[in-house]
Amino acid sequence: MTGQMQMRETIFALSSGGLPAGVAIIRLSGPGVTDALAAMAGEVPPARRARLTDIRREDGALLDRGLILFFPAPHSFTGEDCGELHLHGGRAVVQAVLDLLGHRPDFRAAEAGEFTRRAFLNGKLDLTGAEALADLIAAETEAQHRFALASGDVRHQQLYAGWRRTLIRARAMIEAELDFADEEDVPGSVSGMAWREIEDLCSQMAKHADGYRDAEIIRDGFRVVILGAPNAGKSSLLNAMARRDIAIVTDEPGTTRDVLEAVLDIGGAKVIVTDTAGIRANPGRIEAMGMDRAMDRARDADLILLLEDADNPQPVAPPENARHIRVANKIDLLAGRLLPDGYDCAVSAASGEGLDALFSEIGTISGTSTRRAADLLPFRERHVRLIRAAIRHARRAADMNGLDLELRAEELRLAADALGRIAGTIDVEDLLDTIFSQFCIGK
């Protein structure tokens, strides 16, 4: 989207987080910003220069003394006139200023993500940029932070726009044959060049879409499931890895009947470790339900820790084709006896021995994905869905050899439109509420 949309209402919100705080920042955006700043501070400060001033009610009562800033349109985050009030972060101070703004004509509190939504509508960023910004705000680990920054890079916009231009150019070449077939300077072979380019483009798009699994792991976490027999020490291992008590630990088999999770940061990556019910023959009805859930989680895991009691091993078979490592637990009970061969790691959940080596092994395996945090990857499921739709339409057009060129040109139009929806240049109104509702108030 380009150009600036005129909004009648001015929005405002506390943008700096919970109170009380050392400093609270209230943001404003819209046509009434200059009047509000002048009324509250006596004047509008020079653009992009902070000014220390008294902030007062219209009757002159002092509310606070703080900094005010003014960012004139279109050179602001939203593309509109914007302002910021940097106040002392007491609840009474902030509430008094918010109440004052709320009583101004055509002023209202901002909804979640509304500042970013206005930035999109005013052409300050595209949808991929807005989604990357949401990821940056939500980032919990270094890998997620780097990935969000890479996702917000202009490279995504350039990549999808370039693919779309290729499709539009190919469609134009085909329509040139349709409209000017009798002209000498439009040879009949011109669309043949386009089809070769389309085939190459489909390969590029498919390779890019295949990177989504790595992106999903970086954004949502690398899923590790602890699987083993009852009393192998699964819950104890989860508690030891999380360094806090999450699961109830007893010597009674079948204590864990549901899945329990801990979110860890391992080597800068988000890792979700799941404790599951023990797997054994002839379980009770309730215990069997827990075992079914355990195997379901194991099938969806990125890595399974097959945990065995080193002093009394009871092997459990992982789901077919599941990635796994064998881990011996309770090595503190071996009393000098040698550990049998075949284990990838050996730990004691009770003493913590071997945990660093286990973390290192998990980090090495998960790093296959997290090392791609700075790469150009599709970072939303909707991107992948639209890319694959573009591939389907483009390949359908290329495979229609000998058929009506008009039908082939229409397939190319549908492919280009699918790519246009990724960045928000085409038909995205139904997506906006979903995308911007992910943001916090004030962003």
Side-chain angles (χ1 to χ4, degrees):
M1 279 191 186
T2 58
Q4 185 173 355
M5 300 189 66
Q6 297 297 319
M7 302 290 183
R8 184 177 64 84
E9 294 178 310
T10 298
I11 57 174
F12 62 90
L14 174 66
S15 296
S16 53
L19 301 174
V23 176
I25 301 174
I26 294 177
R27 304 177 76 189
L28 303 86
S29 180
V33 167
T34 54
D35 288 344
L37 294 181
M40 300 171 72
E43 61 180 345
V44 179
R48 291 173 293 282
R49 291 181 61 183
R51 172 162 293 179
L52 180 63
T53 184
D54 291 341
I55 298 171
R56 299 178 179 273
R57 290 195 181 95
E58 292 183 353
D59 61 4
L62 181 65
L63 296 178
D64 195 15
R65 183 167 176 79
L67 297 175
I68 63 170
L69 295 97
F70 174 57
F71 305 92
H75 305 296
S76 68
F77 173 70
T78 64
E80 306 173 325
D81 283 349
C82 287
E84 289 184 1
L85 303 171
H86 293 227
L87 311 168
H88 292 95
R91 290 188 175 88
V93 172
V94 171
Q95 191 58 54
V97 175
L98 292 175
D99 288 344
L100 181 61
L101 290 171
H103 283 89
R104 295 190 64 84
D106 293 326
F107 271 61
R108 64 169 174 81
E111 299 175 357
E114 192 166 5
F115 287 93
T116 308
R117 181 169 183 156
R118 290 193 177 195
F120 164 72
L121 294 173
N122 287 321
K124 303 299 289 186
L125 74 170
D126 67 3
L127 278 188
T128 60
E131 289 167 324
L133 182 57
D135 284 352
L136 185 61
I137 293 170
E140 299 173 300
T141 67
E142 177 59 26
Q144 290 175 328
H145 175 221
R146 288 188 288 116
F147 184 57
L149 290 175
S151 299
D153 193 292
V154 72
R155 293 179 300 162
H156 270 97
Q157 183 178 356
Q158 291 172 341
L159 179 67
Y160 300 145
W163 288 348
R164 188 164 178 258
R165 283 195 299 270
T166 298
L167 291 166
I168 292 172
R169 183 171 63 249
R171 181 184 170 201
M173 295 170 71
I174 292 166
E175 291 184 343
E177 285 195 14
L178 285 170
D179 296 338
F180 306 106
D182 57 341
E183 299 290 336
E184 294 182 0
D185 59 347
V186 182
S189 63
V190 82
S191 64
M193 299 165 55
W195 298 127
R196 288 190 294 273
E197 193 172 21
I198 291 300
E199 290 173 0
D200 181 59
L201 176 62
C202 287
S203 297
Q204 293 179 43
M205 291 192 292
K207 183 178 179 180
H208 179 73
D210 287 342
Y212 178 63
R213 181 57 191 144
D214 288 326
E216 194 174 32
I217 288 173
I218 296 168
R219 286 186 67 246
D220 300 333
F222 185 81
R223 294 196 167 271
V224 176
V225 169
I226 306 173
L227 196 67
N231 285 338
K234 298 182 298 300
S235 297
S236 296
L237 180 60
L238 178 70
N239 291 342
M241 293 176 74
R243 294 184 174 86
R244 65 183 189 276
D245 289 340
I246 295 175
I248 297 173
V249 178
T250 73
D251 292 331
E252 181 182 345
T255 300
T256 302
R257 296 190 174 183
D258 208 343
V259 294
L260 300 171
E261 290 186 342
V263 179
L264 310 179
D265 185 333
I266 299 179
K270 180 179 179 180
V271 177
I272 304 168
V273 182
T274 303
D275 176 26
T276 60
I279 306 298
R280 65 171 176 170
N282 303 316
R285 185 172 63 87
I286 300 299
E287 192 178 352
M289 294 172 63
M291 289 170 52
D292 288 342
R293 291 183 181 182
M295 297 306 293
D296 286 342
R297 288 298 182 96
R299 277 185 282 270
D300 293 336
D302 300 303
L303 177 67
I304 297 172
L305 305 184
L306 284 179
L307 194 69
E308 296 178 14
D309 182 343
D311 191 43
N312 180 29
Q314 300 177 47
V316 169
E320 188 176 357
N321 299 322
R323 188 170 194 174
H324 62 276
I325 59 174
R326 289 186 68 204
V327 181
N329 188 24
K330 305 184 183 181
I331 58 174
D332 54 305
L333 302 181
L334 291 178
R337 286 174 288 144
L338 292 177
L339 182 71
D341 293 335
Y343 290 105
D344 299 289
C345 289
V347 302
S348 168
S351 69
E353 182 181 356
L355 283 182
D356 287 344
L358 178 60
F359 283 136
S360 179
E361 182 71 13
I362 294 172
T364 298
I365 297 171
S366 64
T368 303
S369 296
T370 56
R371 277 191 293 272
R372 300 195 66 191
D375 291 354
L376 197 62
L377 302 173
F379 59 98
R380 282 287 194 279
E381 191 276 333
R382 77 172 190 92
H383 300 176
V384 178
R385 187 175 66 252
L386 289 168
I387 291 168
R388 296 202 187 283
I391 293 171
R392 285 196 305 273
H393 289 299
R395 283 184 171 155
R396 195 174 297 158
D399 292 343
M400 286 180 173
N401 193 23
L403 298 181
D404 195 329
L405 282 178
E406 289 183 351
L407 296 177
R408 303 176 81 179
E410 175 63 11
E411 291 292 344
L412 291 181
R413 183 189 70 80
L414 293 172
D417 284 358
L419 293 179
R421 290 187 179 94
I422 296 176
T425 55
I426 291 179
D427 187 28
V428 295
E429 195 63 34
D430 57 334
L431 283 173
L432 298 188
D433 289 341
T434 299
I435 290 174
F436 293 111
S437 65
Q438 301 172 40
F439 286 83
C440 55
I441 300 293
K443 190 58 184 170

